[in-house]
Amino acid sequence: MWSILVDLCIGFFDLVLDVLMFRRQRSKHGRNPRSVAEDTFEVARFSFVTLTFIGLACAGLMLLLAFGFGLSVGLSVGIGIAVGAIWGLWQYAQLVRER
């Protein structure tokens, strides 16, 4: 019971810190300020929708490389993680740069 409450509190504070960091990055890049609600929605959408999609696509890539093309498991996982990290950073950079 307590672990669920602790996880919820940590998740809430993590979202708050992510939004504050996102707003600060946008202001340093000279972007127009938006409301906190809009920024919170964008950060939540990025965290839950975009990163879940990237994770599923990279897991599929790992399976394709390992079972479809016969690469070793270590190499397939390494390529999948590298692609996911680059794709995630690129998406976050686009999110910070958008109007």
Side-chain angles (χ1 to χ4, degrees), residues 32-91:
N32 294 332
R34 296 187 296 195
S35 71
V36 176
E38 288 176 324
D39 286 340
T40 303
F41 177 75
E42 289 299 322
V43 169
R45 183 183 56 82
F46 177 78
S47 295
F48 297 117
V49 176
T50 305
L51 291 182
T52 301
F53 177 73
I54 290 172
L56 289 174
C58 290
L61 174 65
M62 289 180 214
L63 291 172
L64 178 70
L65 290 174
F67 296 120
F69 294 115
L71 269 85
S72 68
V73 174
L75 189 60
S76 299
V77 170
I79 291 171
I81 289 174
V83 168
I86 292 168
W87 191 5
L89 288 172
W90 178 67
Q91 288 290 328

Side-chain angles (χ1 to χ4, degrees), residues 5 7-8 10 12-13 16-17 23 25-26 48 53 70 77 82 91 99:
L5 294 174
D7 287 342
L8 285 173
I10 290 173
F12 174 74
F13 287 116
V16 169
L17 290 175
R23 289 178 65 84
Q25 284 181 343
R26 283 185 53 84
F48 297 117
F53 177 73
V77 170
Q91 288 290 328
R99 295 181 190 218

Side-chain angles (χ1 to χ4, degrees), residues 9-28:
C9 289
I10 290 173
F12 174 74
F13 287 116
D14 181 47
L15 180 66
V16 169
L17 290 175
D18 285 346
V19 170
L20 291 174
M21 182 185 69
F22 178 69
R23 289 178 65 84
R24 187 167 192 187
Q25 284 181 343
R26 283 185 53 84
S27 68
K28 281 189 175 185

